[in-house]
Amino acid sequence: MKISTTNSFLALNYGQEKALDMIASAGFDCVDMYFGYMAKDNENEFFLPDAPQRCRDLRKQAEDKGIFFNQAHAPFPPYLPSVPELYDYAVEMYVNMMPFCQEVGIKNLVLHGISWNQ
């Protein structure tokens, strides 16, 4: 059995590299890559032109520390305000996550079904 944790708040507060350092030092085997913050910030690192290389670098850094990315969580919670534009954006984001996952070595992308919060 592999023990995993998310990099969500660690990456948000300390950056991706430091988050991987902390996760590996704590003894985890693998990392659940959290992409949820992409939903609110089009300026984040995964929207920059060098994002594919950035993902490859993260994968190498994890491998160098003896850990790996076992899965990812795509943006958006299972509820959203009833705004059709958000639905279209969510679907676009889900599709755009797949190349990032491939670069990082992730084989499983968790998608939470969208239900409108009435």
Side-chain angles (χ1 to χ4, degrees):
M1 176 176 14
K2 302 290 183 190
I3 306 297
S4 179
T5 190
T6 182
N7 66 346
S8 62
F9 294 109
L10 292 175
L12 286 171
N13 290 308
Y14 301 103
Q16 295 288 353
E17 290 84 2
K18 181 68 175 166
L20 289 177
D21 289 341
M22 296 167 81
I23 290 167
S25 294
F28 288 96
D29 301 303
C30 42
V31 182
D32 178 344
M33 175 69 99
Y34 177 73
F35 288 111
Y37 52 86
M38 291 181 75
K40 68 177 181 61
D41 184 5
N42 286 339
E43 299 298 320
N44 80 62
E45 63 190 313
F46 295 106
F47 284 109
L48 298 176
D50 67 342
Q53 183 60 50
R54 179 93 176 95
C55 288
R56 289 189 291 273
D57 292 346
L58 286 173
R59 181 179 187 170
K60 178 159 182 6
Q61 182 188 1
E63 289 170 353
D64 289 349
K65 296 183 178 313
I67 60 177
F68 64 96
F69 292 96
N70 63 318
Q71 69 177 26
H73 269 81
F76 300 103
Y79 54 86
L80 289 171
S82 184
V83 179
E85 296 80 26
L86 282 178
Y87 173 77
D88 294 339
Y89 183 66
V91 171
E92 179 183 351
M93 291 300 299
Y94 290 158
V95 171
N96 289 337
M97 295 311 312
M98 293 176 196
F100 295 131
C101 290
Q102 183 177 5
E103 295 293 350
V104 177
I106 295 167
K107 296 179 181 175
N108 301 299
L109 176 61
V110 178
L111 303 174
H112 293 280
I114 298 171
S115 62
W116 299 118
N117 188 9
Q118 303 290 332

